[in-house]
């Protein structure tokens, strides 16, 4: 990576600001609870995206057995977090998770709704209004218990390829062990829209899936994280996606190592900017932080480095309950703007599982200069004992600090405003590309900071939750940087000189914007 002259440099690449959050649940106006029992013990997602074009992040909340809710962001810059409910047309029942993406390439964000029953693709109409476009786009929503979603654009395609992760057979009367149902791959149809879905067999009760160029080779594959509670003989999975051919699983001969966990969520990030990504996999008790070995050579030869880097998060750290934790949504992001990715994990018992913690606080693991993670959830003020599921870190009041929203079972979500004092500078960018893939899914964003940063633009992962729009980077004490985008077709853009703030990036350059 080319050298960069910074106006101000840190003496060391990391900063020591301890994060602080102020809970504003009671006043923020988010009122949609995630309701339901058996069929809603998993899921409970939040989608974060701009639904009205004002460059502020709005919020869509899965409602489970109740109705989903869309909320317009009214937060003033740097002020308290405030939202108002919108009659959007997307407030349907039985939603377990939601992911924003521009399916039809018209420049307006759409919503993919995973449901207990028929999944739906909601076309964005502008001004936070939506209409069901599933039939118009030839999308077969099926009739399963859908719990996971991811999307990518295969080379040369004018419509995205969608992957849907399904859980157990919801029609099973009792003892559902071994009743995992097929996941589905929805590829573009010959005349636009989508072809009939392909079953991804075998399937092992997926709770998180992610299309990713995990090795930095330009080839996108599909990672699937599965819940061992219900499968028989299953494991985690990685699927090849060869152009024009059926998907096929990676084998042990290709470096794949058998892994069996209670797979709940996937967080992906190139933590050391070396060209490939690390994966954090949430589970009951045994969370995994996977990193490719030095000898991987493009093969999925991962080693678990969670213990070595302080990211096990396997038991509660406060509250007095010492039983194993249950992890759900996980997300890498920089909450104190020191240029180092931190890790948030939403925690909560499935319901009343006696062998696992009931008082199970969320984790906020801060990364230091040496790549170690340290628990700060209680000191930061986010150690909630709610029964958490989905979550999102996003800058709702546009002050350059990432706020936090967490979906809990059977109650409205919690939301915290980031009030960290002395945080570093930041850059937040939105990508806008020509053609059908308007949000540049599959692109890589690179920053030449004291410790280089590299991020893939993906749709999927987490647990039942997705975001589209702003990509946030901490700068530490730097007052200038350079940034470039490697676009989905592999074209590397020019390095752009940038100072802290918000930017829209296209292939022709960067434009500073004011949300």
């Amino acid at each position: 990576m080319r050298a960069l002259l910074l106006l101000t440099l840190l003496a060391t690449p990391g900063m020591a600001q301890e994060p602080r959050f102020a809970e504003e649940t009671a006043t923020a106006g988010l009122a949609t609870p995630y309701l339901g029992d058996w069929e809603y013990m998993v899921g409970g997602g939040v989608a974060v995206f701009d639904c009205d074009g004002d460059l502020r992040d709005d919020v869509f909340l899965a409602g489970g057995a109740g109705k989903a809710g869309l909320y317009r962001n009214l937060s003033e810059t740097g002020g308290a977090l405030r939202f108002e409910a919108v009659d959007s047309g997307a407030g349907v029942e039985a939603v377990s998770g939601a992911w924003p993406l521009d399916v039809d390439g018209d420049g307006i964000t759409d919503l993919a709704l995973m449901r207990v029953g028929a999944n739906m693709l909601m076309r964005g109409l502008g001004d936070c209004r939506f209409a069901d476009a599933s039939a118009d786009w030839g999308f077969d929503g099926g009739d399963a218990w859908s719990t996971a979603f991811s999307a990518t654009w295969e080379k040369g395609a004018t419509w995205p390829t969608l992957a849907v992760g399904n859980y157990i057979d919801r029609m099973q009367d009792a003892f559902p062990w071994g009743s995992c149902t097929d996941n589905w791959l929805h590829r573009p149809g010959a005349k636009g829209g989508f072809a009939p879905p392909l079953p991804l067999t075998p399937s092992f009760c997926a709770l998180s899936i992610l299309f990713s160029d995990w090795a930095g080779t330009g080839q996108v594959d599909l990672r699937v994280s599965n819940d061992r509670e219900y499968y028989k003989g299953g494991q985690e999975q990685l699927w090849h996606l060869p152009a024009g051919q059926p998907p096929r699983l990676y084998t042990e001969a290709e470096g794949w190592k058998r892994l069996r966990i209670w797979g709940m969520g996937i967080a992906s990030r190139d933590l050391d900017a070396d060209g490939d990504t690390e994966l954090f996999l949430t589970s009951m008790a045994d969370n995994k932080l996977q990193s490719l070995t030095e000898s991987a050579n493009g093969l999925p030869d991962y080693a678990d480095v969670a213990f070595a880097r302080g990211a096990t998060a396997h038991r509660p750290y406060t509250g007095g309950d010492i039983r194993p934790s249950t992890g759900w949504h996980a997300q890498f992001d920089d909450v104190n703007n020191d240029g180092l990715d931190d890790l948030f994990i939403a925690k909560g018992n499935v319901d009343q599982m006696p062998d696992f913690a009931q008082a199970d606080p969320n984790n906020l693991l801060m990364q230091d200069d040496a790549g170690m993670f340290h628990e700060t959830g209680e000191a930061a003020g986010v150690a909630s004992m709610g029964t958490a599921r989905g979550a999102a870190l996003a800058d709702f009041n546009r002050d350059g600090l990432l706020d936090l929203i967490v979906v809990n079972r059977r109650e409205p979500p919690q939301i915290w405003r980031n009030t960290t004092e002395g945080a570093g500078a930041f850059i937040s960018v939105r990508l806008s590309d020509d053609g059908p893939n308007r949000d540049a899914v599959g692109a890589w964003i690179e920053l030449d900071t004291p410790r280089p940063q590299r991020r893939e633009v993906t749709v999927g992962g987490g647990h039942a939750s997705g975001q589209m729009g702003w990509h946030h980077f901490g700068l530490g004490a730097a007052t200038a940087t350079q940034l470039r985008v490697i676009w989905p077709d592999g074209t590397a853009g020019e390095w752009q000189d940038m100072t802290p703030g918000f930017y829209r990036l296209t292939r022709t350059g960067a434009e500073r914007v004011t949300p």
Side-chain angles (χ1 to χ4, degrees):
M1 187 177 289
R2 60 183 287 186
L4 170 67
L5 294 178
L6 295 173
L7 299 180
T8 307
L9 289 175
L10 292 174
T12 58
M15 297 186 74
Q17 292 91 343
E18 291 294 326
R20 293 291 184 271
F21 288 79
E23 185 172 357
E24 298 186 348
T25 301
T27 57
L30 300 174
T32 298
Y34 185 66
L35 302 175
D37 295 319
W38 164 245
E39 291 175 318
Y40 301 99
M41 65 180 178
V42 299
V46 53
V48 174
F49 65 106
D50 177 11
C51 66
D52 56 7
D54 67 355
L55 302 181
R56 291 185 291 188
D57 282 326
D58 306 301
V59 170
F60 179 89
L61 294 166
K67 290 185 177 181
L70 181 65
Y71 293 82
R72 193 190 310 269
N73 187 354
L74 302 180
S75 308
E76 297 292 338
T77 300
L81 306 182
R82 294 195 305 114
F83 300 84
E84 69 172 4
V86 177
D87 185 8
S88 66
V92 298
E93 296 180 342
V95 177
S96 61
W99 287 261
L101 75 159
D102 187 351
V103 176
D104 57 353
D106 66 353
I108 302 174
T109 302
D110 311 305
L111 276 173
L113 303 185
M114 298 298 101
R115 303 175 69 238
V116 178
N119 301 318
M120 302 169 70
L121 295 181
M122 307 295 291
R123 177 193 283 121
L125 305 176
D127 196 29
C128 300
R129 294 175 298 111
F130 293 85
D132 184 8
S134 304
D136 294 343
W137 294 342
F139 177 74
D140 181 357
D143 185 19
W145 182 350
S146 297
T147 49
F149 177 83
S150 190
T152 189
W153 268 258
E154 297 185 68
K155 292 182 179 178
T158 56
W159 283 75
T161 293
L162 312 179
V164 172
N166 294 318
Y167 204 42
I168 60 178
D169 181 358
R170 69 188 183 96
M171 304 302 179
Q172 190 91 357
D173 290 332
F175 303 110
W177 290 272
S179 65
C180 297
T181 53
D182 283 337
N183 302 325
W184 301 319
L185 188 72
H186 299 260
R187 276 178 154 161
K191 298 181 179 180
F194 297 96
L198 296 172
L200 291 172
T201 305
S203 294
F204 300 125
C205 293
L207 286 178
S208 187
I209 56 180
L210 179 65
F211 284 116
S212 173
D213 178 12
W214 52 273
T217 62
Q219 176 61 47
V220 171
D221 297 315
L222 179 65
R223 179 73 185 242
V224 186
S225 194
N226 300 306
D227 182 5
R228 66 177 294 176
E229 184 74 14
Y230 295 110
Y231 63 62
K232 290 184 177 179
Q235 59 173 301
E236 298 293 282
Q237 296 171 299
L238 183 65
W239 291 87
H240 290 280
L241 199 68
Q245 302 178 42
R248 62 179 179 85
L249 281 169
Y250 275 81
T251 65
E252 292 184 11
E254 296 173 294
W256 183 250
K257 296 177 180 177
R258 182 179 177 88
L259 177 63
R260 302 181 69 196
I261 60 174
W262 289 276
M264 311 291 201
I266 303 172
S268 175
R269 187 58 53 88
D270 186 353
L271 293 175
D272 47 14
D274 64 352
D276 54 59
T277 58
E278 279 68 43
L279 295 169
F280 190 82
L281 309 175
T282 58
S283 177
M284 292 195 291
D286 193 15
N287 299 288
K288 302 291 185 181
L289 178 57
Q290 293 196 319
S291 182
L292 288 172
T293 65
E294 293 184 1
S295 59
N297 195 27
L299 299 178
D301 184 8
Y302 283 95
D304 181 27
V305 297
F307 181 79
R309 298 188 65 170
T312 53
H314 58 293
R315 291 185 186 276
Y317 54 89
T318 188
D321 197 330
I322 62 172
R323 290 171 292 180
S325 283
T326 304
W328 298 90
H329 183 86
Q331 183 173 338
F332 288 110
D333 248 315
D334 186 355
V335 301
N336 62 352
N337 293 346
D338 63 355
L340 301 168
D341 278 308
D342 311 306
L343 176 61
F344 175 80
I345 311 166
K347 292 282 187 69
N349 196 293
V350 174
D351 197 3
Q352 296 293 327
M353 296 188 75
D355 293 334
F356 295 88
Q358 289 290 337
D360 202 0
N362 301 322
N363 297 96
L364 183 59
L365 297 167
M366 304 298 292
Q367 187 181 182
D368 66 17
D369 297 337
M372 293 292 294
F373 288 89
H374 305 274
E375 183 61 62
T376 64
E378 185 171 28
V382 298
S384 168
M385 299 298 180
T387 309
R389 291 297 189 263
L393 287 163
D395 184 1
F396 291 115
N397 63 355
R398 317 316 302 153
D399 63 353
L401 293 170
L402 294 174
D403 309 303
L404 173 65
I405 183 171
V406 176
V407 175
N408 296 320
R409 285 194 74 186
R410 303 187 180 100
E411 60 184 45
Q414 291 178 279
I415 190 165
W416 291 264
R417 179 164 56 93
N418 191 332
T419 59
T420 303
E421 295 184 359
F426 77 98
I427 278 179
S428 195
V429 299
R430 296 172 65 101
L431 303 187
S432 180
D433 202 8
D434 298 326
N437 184 5
R438 298 292 291 267
D439 295 299
V441 175
W444 289 86
I445 306 171
E446 297 183 340
L447 260 73
D448 198 358
T449 45
R451 183 167 177 167
Q453 300 183 58
R454 191 170 187 268
R455 184 178 306 178
E456 183 183 15
V457 178
T458 60
V459 174
H463 183 78
S465 303
Q467 295 178 241
M468 180 60 69
W470 293 105
H471 303 280
H472 178 95
F473 297 87
L475 300 180
T479 57
T481 188
Q482 286 188 325
L483 180 150
R484 75 168 180 177
V485 178
I486 301 175
W487 297 93
D489 62 3
T491 301
E494 297 293 328
W495 288 97
Q496 305 284 324
D497 294 317
M498 303 174 76
T499 54
F502 298 90
Y503 293 86
R504 180 184 287 113
L505 267 68
T506 65
R507 294 191 184 228
T508 60
E511 174 193 7
R512 183 183 286 272
V513 296
T514 303

